[in-house]
Amino acid sequence: MNDSGTPVGDGDGTRAVRAGLPEPVKNEPTLPGPVFAAHFHLPGDVSGPYTYGRDENPTWNLLERAIGELEAPGQENVQTLTFASGVAAAAAVLFSQVDAGDVVVLPDDGYQMLPLVRAQLEAYAIEVRTAPTGGDAQLAVLEGAKLLWLETPSNPGLDVCDIRRLTDAAHAQGALVAVDNTLATPLGQRPLELGADFAVASGTKQLTGHGDVLLGYVVGRDAEAMAAVRRWRKIVGAIPGPMEAWLAHRSIATLQLRVDRQCATALTVAEALRERPEVTGLRYPGLPDDPAHKVAAQQMRRYGSVVSFTLPTRARAERFLEALRLVDDATSFGSVRSTAERRGRWGGDPVPEGFIRFSVGAEDPEDLVADVLRALDESSE
């Protein structure tokens, strides 16, 4: 919906280019520029939406409306909050919804910050249980939980779990469910439509897609739960800058174009890698023979821009990365420029030394595949 309550359209591209735009005003820009303000005029009693820069900002609000329209189109009761980073958004949900003595269930193969989050939760006397993403293994440790955290597809291993199945099981015993939707993006899957209470993501990745913005967000439908998330944001001050929020909103207009190109090329790259004998452990949920494909096809509309695989040794992986010409050796993913890294260099991920996380960009697929195959050939020596 736009500011006047008029539907923006049902297509992903139409929704992306129109999401969050205000009602047109003659001689005003289509997307207003960033509002830089620590404080606002506030005579007399405190009233109105804008009082102090840590609480609200018009630029955030437009972006939040845009993200909400993508994550939960047509759901009027949904609220969206933006944050300074994806980790800030994740922490806001985890630490605002549980208390000492509660139980939280996390994936043991998720984003590498989760072990640090676990340690902090345990320091607050919160019990943490973990299980792998694949095979819906978190069901086995769900009893008595207050919050279930899903990451699907998982980062970096690209396993997938059945959101609807896990959410139904969690709700049956009174637990909340949060889904990290970073790898899928709202154009790949919509966790709230699958029953989740929260969709959480790092907007740093494919949502903004240019490798130049740090951002996170939380989308939820329960007013009380989202009020707690908002309070956490206020307490810790994990707010996005107005310039970052404006850049993110501007970038969303091309989201469907970027995602479609990157997902199609990711499948092409995966298919090319499948033919190489030195490549093992190849994962991409869009491959029909991928272990996660059956579940992914039930809940995902697009399969993401990340491919993972393993080369025989650390040295081989490093030679491969050095030989690439169109791919930057860099962390993060989702950018229009392809990146790849030997994930084991960071520690914390349960992956082999030769494991590669490859983020497919918007380059011509023929050029990218040729670069990958050439680098594999050169690195074999």
Side-chain angles (χ1 to χ4, degrees):
M1 307 288 280
N2 65 15
D3 204 33
S4 64
T6 304
V8 299
D10 293 329
D12 286 337
T14 303
R15 184 174 287 113
V17 300
R18 304 296 304 177
L21 297 182
E23 181 70 7
V25 176
K26 185 177 181 179
N27 303 130
E28 293 292 326
T30 304
L31 176 62
V35 175
F36 298 98
H39 58 263
F40 302 83
H41 288 296
L42 194 65
D45 293 336
V46 175
S47 63
Y50 303 114
T51 59
Y52 184 62
R54 190 178 67 248
D55 297 323
E56 296 286 353
N57 178 285
T59 310
W60 307 347
N61 291 164
L62 292 177
L63 173 62
E64 288 167 349
R65 190 161 66 216
I67 293 171
E69 289 171 6
L70 296 175
E71 283 280 1
Q75 298 187 39
E76 298 297 327
N77 60 337
V78 164
Q79 298 181 34
T80 304
L81 294 170
T82 49
F83 289 81
S85 68
V87 170
V93 172
L94 286 161
F95 291 104
S96 70
Q97 303 301 312
V98 295
D99 298 307
D102 287 338
V103 175
V104 172
V105 176
L106 301 176
D108 65 10
D109 55 349
Y111 182 49
Q112 67 171 204
M113 286 295 292
L114 287 179
L116 297 178
V117 170
R118 174 179 186 165
Q120 192 60 54
L121 287 167
E122 291 175 338
Y124 292 154
I126 296 163
E127 180 184 346
V128 179
R129 302 173 189 158
T130 63
T133 296
D136 300 339
Q138 287 168 282
L139 284 172
V141 294
L142 188 56
E143 184 177 356
K146 177 71 177 295
L147 177 66
L148 169 64
W149 185 274
L150 307 178
E151 185 178 303
T152 180
S154 61
N155 174 25
L158 303 182
D159 264 325
V160 171
C161 62
D162 187 330
I163 296 174
R164 176 69 71 181
R165 181 188 182 201
L166 285 156
T167 296
D168 287 347
H171 287 169
Q173 60 175 40
L176 295 168
V177 179
V179 178
D180 185 332
N181 204 32
T182 303
L183 266 160
T185 83
L187 299 193
Q189 69 188 8
R190 296 176 183 146
L192 269 63
E193 291 184 355
L194 295 167
D197 301 287
F198 303 99
V200 186
S202 169
T204 307
K205 311 301 192 296
Q206 198 168 17
L207 186 84
T208 55
H210 291 78
D212 54 8
V213 171
L214 288 174
L215 190 86
Y217 68 81
V218 178
V219 184
R221 63 165 54 90
D222 183 86
E224 184 177 351
M226 287 301 290
V229 176
R230 182 184 297 273
R231 180 174 179 271
W232 180 267
R233 184 179 72 173
K234 179 181 177 72
I235 290 170
V236 301
I239 58 173
M243 190 66 191
E244 285 79 1
W246 183 85
L247 285 169
H249 198 167
R250 183 200 63 169
S251 297
I252 284 175
T254 61
L255 180 62
Q256 184 257 346
L257 299 172
R258 291 184 282 106
V259 167
D260 280 354
R261 173 62 171 261
Q262 290 171 262
C263 289
T265 305
L267 179 59
T268 300
V269 170
E271 289 171 340
L273 288 168
R274 188 167 51 185
E275 304 303 316
R276 299 291 300 213
E278 69 268 53
V279 170
T280 60
L282 175 67
R283 297 299 305 270
Y284 182 67
L287 286 170
D289 58 350
D290 186 273
H293 181 73
K294 182 178 179 180
V295 175
Q298 294 171 357
Q299 65 191 22
M300 299 183 73
R301 297 179 297 131
R302 296 170 175 87
Y303 298 107
S305 63
V306 178
V307 177
S308 68
F309 58 96
T310 300
L311 293 175
T313 64
R314 170 177 176 168
R316 176 71 188 276
E318 290 174 345
R319 291 197 304 271
F320 166 72
L321 292 170
E322 186 176 357
L324 290 166
R325 296 172 184 166
L326 297 180
V327 183
D328 295 330
D329 189 342
T331 194
S332 198
F333 56 86
S335 172
V336 291
R337 291 172 289 277
S338 292
T339 60
E341 70 172 334
R342 192 183 66 81
R343 193 63 187 164
R345 65 181 176 175
W346 295 98
D349 288 314
V351 296
E353 283 291 295
F355 180 93
I356 301 291
R357 186 181 70 183
F358 194 107
S359 173
V360 175
E363 298 88 358
D364 287 303
E366 298 83 0
D367 293 337
L368 192 59
V369 168
D371 190 42
V372 169
L373 297 181
R374 181 196 50 75
L376 285 171
D377 288 340
E378 290 186 6
S379 63
S380 65
E381 300 174 357

